[in-house]
Amino acid sequence: MTTTTRFKGATGEWEVVIGLEVHAQISTNAKLFSGAATAFGAEPNTQVSLVDAAMPGMLPVPNRECIRQAVRTGMAIEAQINKYSRFDRKNYFYADLPQGYQISQLYHPIVGEGRLEISPDEKDPSDTKIIGIERIHVEQDAGKLMHDQHPTMSYVDLNRSGVALMEIVSKPDMSSPEEAGAYLRKLRSILRYVGSCDGNMEEGSMRADVNVSVRKPGEPLGTRTETKNVNSVRFVMVAITSEAFRQIELIESGGKVVQETRLFDPATNRTRTMRSKEDAHDYRYFPDPDLLPLELDDAFLAECRDSLPELPDAKRARYLAAGISAYNADVLTAEVESALWFDTLLETGAKPAAAANWVSSELFGALNRLGKSFEDCPVTPAQAGELLGLVADGTISGTIAKAVFEKMLESGDAAGVIVERDGLKQTSDTGAIEAEIAKILTANADKVEQYKGGKEALFGFFVGQTMKAMQGKANPQVVNELLKKALG
Amino acid sequence: MAIDQATVRKIASLARIAISDAEAAAMEGELNGILGWVEQLGEVDVTGVEPMTAVIPNQLRLRDDVIDADPLTGGNRRDDVLANAPAAMHGFFGVPKVIE
């Protein structure tokens, strides 16, 4: 169980209580209730249908894929799936909301209670905590406003209007910025495995509303504030810290926390109050008369369940069972692309532990250096499998394998071809190795004396010299044995 | 449930409808009349009756995830969408500056 972070105030220690509402854009071609496209970065108002612009007489018809992805996401967090759900209207006026209401699900959400296991301490993945999830509901996104293009006007782009969102509401189960960060990373990872959201926070595909309150240890919950639309894991963590200290200072100086909506300003790392009118939260929800209740049958749910991939926790457990280190298992499963790539590598017959080491050091290193990712990986799992196979069966040494890998990256040639062409095969030819050892011992008679006099660290020097003389191609084990014999 | 004039004014303000004091007074009576009439439904014993959302058996229809399958509910019609906008500029709707 992870320990609660205590915030130190003037009157002693405080606990912070955190809940997150994550808005995740559902990855679909078309919008939630219309056929307009959802692609990011299109010309303004080109992806707007008459439904999204709320023209009179237009009726919403839900996109089956949005429903399917919400259900699959619910299943991935072991949540209750509600076979009966309903859409409601949340009424308010704003320039980015042509309908004058957002279609959402207040009373009967599609997904009920679920859970997420997080490990806030990256150094100790076994230190886990369960974060409860209250619900997931499906709703429409609003349009985008731009305020800096004209002196007196704001510009409205409705391309995002009507795009499907999942709102994933956690319980107030997090008690430190680190836990909130771990929760967001884990949630993002699961969404990307499931394929229900691309998790791209820069493009706004995932953003969080952060609920924060503070209390003295053991006391009941304090009044919370909600900081809206925070768009990176780091900003969420900073916003929590800043908001917790603001509340602590406020209470300690005799003030009271007001339940309100706040904004996070990344420039100052502080939250500030959002100027809102009274009654702003009086949304007068009611069931949307344009939409019948959404009823899901068993066949639909079965298809959703059957189409779920192996999820990060299951994959991690499988890797650990195969002898892969906890660190490597974490690194490999964090992103769906690396995990899938690695699974394909294992299918080539590569030994799990050695393959994991190679991917997490050599391949990650190369990708970093080349500025590439697993999506445009310069080597295929099959090519890597061949290279690792050559090491496993003793054809080449680990050191030579590094050089071969470099040549693979440069030329695109297969490992076997490079080894054959450049004559890199490892030799266990004891005659050749012994001949080199003899030369080295003669040339370094002084060091041989020192070694025999007890300076055993020099053994490494002899190994190095022998390997150098053999151009790295000698089998290291054979070299060790022969050297020990020669040095008597 | 009875509503007073303050509630009438609040609802009007939430709906962005301007009403005069005289209208609010008239509306108070009208709305209370409507609510009282609807409240008669409360006299019906509905124990054990499932709520009904449509009088004929009907299921919510779903669409396939296909872009612009039907031009009527698809995108790529910016000129149509902006046609009635009082101030369309550079492909955007222009509205009086709203900023928090």
Side-chain angles (χ1 to χ4, degrees), chain A residues 28-30 33-37 43-46 48-51 53 55 58 61-65 93-95 145-147 150-158 274-275 279 282 284 291-295, chain B residues 10-11 13-16 51 53-54 58-84 87 89-100:
Chain A
T28 52
N29 302 315
F33 294 118
S34 85
E43 283 292 298
N45 292 309
T46 53
V48 183
S49 72
L50 300 179
V51 180
M55 292 297 168
M58 301 308 291
V61 179
N63 180 336
R64 181 180 291 104
E65 181 65 8
F93 291 99
Y94 209 63
L145 284 165
M146 296 166 77
H147 305 293
H150 190 282
T152 58
M153 307 287 267
S154 290
Y155 285 172
V156 188
D157 174 8
L158 296 182
M274 228 166 117
R275 276 186 296 122
D279 304 331
D282 196 341
R284 295 151 296 140
L291 289 156
L292 285 161
L294 176 61
E295 293 177 82
Chain B
K10 184 181 168 192
I11 295 167
S13 136
L14 286 170
R16 303 293 186 273
T53 45
N58 209 350
Q59 279 238 309
L60 179 61
R61 289 179 52 208
L62 302 176
R63 71 167 67 235
D64 291 331
D65 185 29
V66 178
I67 298 168
D68 300 347
D70 177 351
L72 217 55
T73 57
N76 279 317
R77 50 193 313 163
R78 178 157 81 184
D79 292 345
D80 293 341
V81 164
L82 294 175
N84 296 321
M89 289 177 259
H90 313 295
F92 292 96
F93 292 90
V95 299
K97 193 156 275 208
V98 278
I99 190 159
E100 287 276 1

Side-chain angles (χ1 to χ4, degrees), chain A residues 14-17 211-216 219-226 243-244 246-248 250-251 255-262:
Chain A
W14 294 77
E15 281 177 9
V16 58
V17 179
N211 289 287
V212 173
S213 66
V214 297
R215 64 176 172 192
K216 284 283 175 74
E219 295 203 343
L221 288 175
T223 306
R224 68 184 166 88
T225 62
E226 179 180 16
E243 179 58 16
R246 186 190 71 85
Q247 293 183 11
I248 291 167
L250 185 64
I251 298 169
K256 266 178 91 169
V257 176
V258 186
Q259 184 164 350
E260 63 175 353
T261 307
R262 300 181 68 83

Side-chain angles (χ1 to χ4, degrees), chain B residues 41-53:
Chain B
L41 288 172
E43 293 164 17
V44 183
D45 181 7
V46 291
T47 320
V49 180
E50 282 291 308
M52 185 177 69
T53 45

